[in-house]
Structure formats: structure tokens, C-alpha cells
Amino acid sequence: MSDDKLISKKKPAYPISEKLYSYLNRFNRNVKIPVFYNDLLRFAGSVVVYDKNDEDTLWVRVYYSDSDREEIDLSLKKVYSILHSDGRIDIIPFLNVDAIDYCTFGNSKPFRVKIRNILNDNYTYFYVKKADASRVYGLELEHILSPYNLNFLVYKDTLIEEHISGIPGDVFIKDFLPQCTDAEKSQIAKEFVKFNERCMIRLLGDMRSYNYVIVPTHDFDHVVYKIRAIDFDQQCFEGRLIIYRPQFFKENFKMVETVRDRLQKTSIDQYKIEERSIVAKRIISAGNRIKALLEAAEHDEISTQDNTQKLKMEIYELTLDLKFKRSDTMGQVLKSALDYVRRNYENINMKSLLEK
């Protein structure tokens, strides 16, 4: 079955519920900002953005009328200050909006804003998107359950996301993976197994190669590779468990092949257990924060009833855990999945203690 048939053609955007807004307020994610997504849609025209090989990037660089440009530039500089600093305006004279790009590919249709410090030419990006409950849950779960912290803001119907640096997965697989040493490929294989497990546990779907990045870090005499998700649009939406397992997308075939060539089954099983244990520890340490997020999710509408029924029964047949069968919403399926991982970890730990 092709990836296009696996994934719904168009996922609807779900509004931010009162419970989710309450959560965002409690944990300082809901901050007043001076510009909305719809404001950026007032562009007067655009030009295609090409990469260094003169290929279409599927982004267009937008421009605004003189009257709109001044207001939008100032507002975006203020957003940068709120996102990356304490919101003070005294840094604004030292900032320049170098580019505003718009992507019509995919569900989120984001704006990508390039902000440059004119004193030293350092620059960074952030994204302006239409707020969608699925994406917000995905970002917050990534912040809590992955090794990485995420910085984002939500105000009314607008979402501001920080840029996640790294080599796009599709580019890495094509241009970098073939040049890696055997040791590096083994390490990448290990990370892909862990990434695959983490996505499945927290129900993050559609991790095709262009929806994650590879982050290389130099450590003493070698390079360590990590894999980070960058698209959270398909959090807890699809009705098939296969969508939440990156290994089944054809775009990731080379990564799966690397796992098969470099790792034995015992190692793969070991890395899966390691990742489940790490996620379980994060669930436990997150305490009231993950509890509050799941309370919002289990009463929220973030998928269709049909998808919920399909997924809960598929996971129930796999685990025989009645909590899945009793779930009525996709948020409850997510809560059951995280509870299942946590309980298994705690039971194994208790058994180990008793055996000592």
C-alpha cells in the first residue's frame, strides 16, 4: 500500500479547546502577540524560492505593500523578542526581517520568517501557523517526552514555532548517508530504532523523511547523530497504528535497510526497551504537567470517531489491555498508551527489586 493511501488526504484543523487553552495559560504557552497568521496572508505578491541546485523548494518568498510592510516587520520583530527573549523592545533596532516565505505544501501552510541581527549577521527562523489542536498537542508531547525542549507560543488562532535545526531527513538519506562510515551507520540505525519507537508510543504519525531532521554533533573523535521530528500535524489523528511507525514509509526505506544491515535483532529489541524505559521515566518525572495535558486531550476532539475506533481496537488486539477497548476519544487512546508504557516500566522495576 502506498503512503498516499495510508494517510488521509486532508486532515481537518481542530480548534483549541477551553481545556487546552487553560493548560497553555498554566504553562506559559499562551502569550499575547502583535501579529496573526491571517495578517501575513495580505501579501501583494510572491516569487519562487529555489535551492542551491536551482530546484523548486515548494516555498515562495512573499512581499507586501509599503504600508503593510512596515507594520508587519515591526510586529514580527516583537514576536521574535517574545519568543526568544523577555519581550523588551530595545533590541528591535538591531533586528531585520530578511525574508518571509510561505509554503502551500501540506496541511499547515506555514510562514517562515528569517530574522537577522544587523550587528553581527547572525540569523534565525521562526514559523507562523494557523493554530491547530493536533499540532499543539504534538509540540507539547515532544517537549515533555522527547530528549528535546521546544519553544512555541499560541495566541487565539495563531501558533508561533521556533525553528528546529538539522539536515532534512530526505536530504540526509540521499546525500550524506552513503558517505557515512560503518560505525556512523550503526549509530544512525540505533537512533532510527529509538525514533521509531518514540513516535509509536506517543502516537506521532506521518514521519516520512521530510518530516524529521538529522542533527549531527561532534563528540571527541566522532560524530553523534540524533533524529528530531519537525512536523506535528499528524499527532493522534490516523486510525492505523502503521502510520505511527516511521519504518513503514517508503521514504524511510534506506534507513530501515541500514537498521537491517547494521543491527542484530537482539540489539534492536534492546534499543526498543531502552526507549520505552526513557519515555516512561519522562512520563513519571513530568508529573502534573503530563497529567494536565492528557486531561485536556481526553475530552478534546482531535480525530474522527472512525479513526478512534479503528486505532483503539488495533492496539487492544496487540496489547490485550482493556483500557484501549474502553477509550471513547483519541485523547483517551493516547492516555491509555502512555499509561501502558509507564505501568510496564514500573512493574518490571518492582519485579527487579523483589528478585534482589
Side-chain angles (χ1 to χ4, degrees), residues 20-81:
L20 183 53
Y21 261 125
S22 176
Y23 172 90
L24 294 169
N25 272 321
R26 180 178 172 185
F27 293 99
N28 300 314
R29 297 294 200 188
N30 190 9
V31 179
K32 187 175 181 179
I33 55 175
V35 68
F36 295 102
Y37 178 86
N38 286 343
D39 294 331
L40 299 186
L41 289 173
R42 302 200 310 259
F43 54 85
S46 64
V47 294
V48 176
V49 177
Y50 295 97
D51 64 16
K52 63 181 181 181
N53 298 316
D54 289 328
E55 294 182 1
D56 189 347
T57 62
L58 302 178
W59 290 82
V60 294
R61 186 146 297 165
V62 300
Y63 55 88
Y64 298 83
S65 64
D66 290 341
S67 58
D68 281 340
R69 179 77 198 201
E70 186 175 347
E71 176 190 349
I72 287 172
D73 272 21
L74 178 59
S75 295
L76 291 174
K77 292 174 188 178
K78 289 179 179 177
V79 168
Y80 171 88
S81 180

Side-chain angles (χ1 to χ4, degrees), residues 226-237:
K226 300 292 183 181
I227 303 178
R228 293 190 65 177
I230 59 171
D231 191 323
F232 304 93
D233 186 59
Q234 290 282 348
Q235 175 67 52
C236 296
F237 176 73

Side-chain angles (χ1 to χ4, degrees), residues 257-280:
E257 192 175 52
T258 302
V259 172
R260 185 190 64 200
D261 292 344
R262 306 304 309 172
L263 302 180
Q264 297 180 355
K265 186 181 183 303
T266 50
S267 294
I268 294 172
D269 292 341
Q270 173 197 337
Y271 296 141
K272 286 181 179 181
I273 292 169
E274 284 180 9
E275 192 61 30
R276 286 179 212 148
S277 299
I278 291 170
V279 171

